[in-house]
Amino acid sequence: MTDREPQTLDVLDDAERKLLFTEARTANTFAATAVTDDELAMIWALARWSPSAANSQPLRVLFVRTREGKERLVQHLDEGNKAKTLSAPAVAVLAYDVDFHEQMPTVFPARGDMLRAAFAGQTETRETLAAYNSALQTGVFLLAVRAAGLAAGPMAGFDKAAVDKEFFVGTSWRSHLVVNIGHPGVDPWFPRLPRVPLEDAVAWA
């Protein structure tokens, strides 16, 4: 095959689509089975291939596994989220790096120095771009958890400023989502809720 010939991409089979999409659920309870370092490394090895503007990759991850670490975290969570997080074998605090531009020479070699210089004095712009692109990467992160054979329980109910003060003082990281990770426990799923029908969500031009 030459570069001029069209490529044929693989299509996920039915079992793979179920794993990642149609039968995947948000877990609310977790088994005591440990999540290993290799499993967490696999999640990141997959998630880091997410698209992002100019390959900027602002998503950062703090994996919290110890009881001490989880107790530090749960004091800043909404009351309804605390027990779930304490029971999860691993928890990912997803954050974005407002100084992502410092990595541009590494992640975009052709224009990295120019992009780093252009963003250097634009703190507000960097914050907006980092928040948006880390959200894009977060969707892929959740798919990576599922692809690793684990369940994810994403939660936005927490005091972001307090979590940043607890874990990220002296860094340019800003938290934006907490994700419980593990094997599903007893009665882990709420009933499946409806999805917006195609005719209300999709337009054609």
Side-chain angles (χ1 to χ4, degrees), residues 131-144:
Y132 176 84
N133 283 284
S134 66
L136 176 63
Q137 290 184 275
T138 293
V140 177
F141 181 92
L142 297 176
L143 291 177

Side-chain angles (χ1 to χ4, degrees), residues 2-74:
T2 69
D3 291 339
R4 293 180 179 275
E5 294 176 346
Q7 297 184 23
T8 300
L9 301 178
D10 293 335
V11 177
L12 297 180
D13 64 26
D14 187 55
E16 293 165 334
R17 290 194 293 270
K18 288 179 179 178
L19 175 68
L20 296 181
F21 297 101
T22 59
E23 292 189 2
R25 309 292 299 280
T26 293
N28 294 284
T29 68
F30 295 90
T33 308
V35 174
T36 67
D37 289 351
D38 287 344
E39 287 174 315
L40 295 177
M42 181 193 303
I43 292 169
W44 181 248
L46 296 172
R48 70 195 188 102
W49 296 105
S50 169
S52 57
N55 202 34
S56 53
Q57 303 173 54
L59 184 67
R60 304 290 183 263
V61 184
L62 168 68
F63 285 119
V64 182
R65 296 176 302 163
T66 66
R67 182 73 184 189
E68 177 188 9
K70 284 186 272 189
E71 287 176 349
R72 290 173 59 197
L73 176 61
V74 298

Side-chain angles (χ1 to χ4, degrees), residues 41-182:
M42 181 193 303
I43 292 169
W44 181 248
L46 296 172
R48 70 195 188 102
W49 296 105
S50 169
S52 57
N55 202 34
S56 53
Q57 303 173 54
L59 184 67
R60 304 290 183 263
V61 184
L62 168 68
F63 285 119
V64 182
R65 296 176 302 163
T66 66
R67 182 73 184 189
E68 177 188 9
K70 284 186 272 189
E71 287 176 349
R72 290 173 59 197
L73 176 61
V74 298
Q75 63 182 321
H76 308 301
L77 303 185
D78 290 356
E79 193 62 37
N81 292 333
K82 292 182 178 182
K84 290 186 287 188
T85 295
L86 285 173
S87 72
V91 186
V93 179
L94 302 188
Y96 56 85
D97 187 352
V98 295
D99 287 345
F100 68 87
H101 66 300
E102 297 293 350
Q103 293 288 336
M104 293 309 299
T106 298
V107 300
F108 202 144
R111 300 174 61 195
D113 290 331
M114 181 271 290
L115 288 167
R116 180 170 62 182
F119 282 125
Q122 300 186 47
T123 304
E124 186 174 337
T125 297
R126 294 201 315 269
E127 177 93 21
T128 300
L129 289 173
Y132 176 84
N133 283 284
S134 66
L136 176 63
Q137 290 184 275
T138 293
V140 177
F141 181 92
L142 297 176
L143 291 177
V145 173
R146 296 169 178 176
L150 297 165
M155 304 179 305
F158 66 98
D159 186 333
K160 295 179 181 179
V163 168
D164 292 349
K165 185 176 180 180
E166 185 74 39
F167 292 101
F168 301 143
V169 169
T171 78
S172 51
W173 294 18
R174 306 290 183 267
S175 58
H176 81 99
L177 193 71
V178 171
V179 184
N180 296 326
I181 299 172

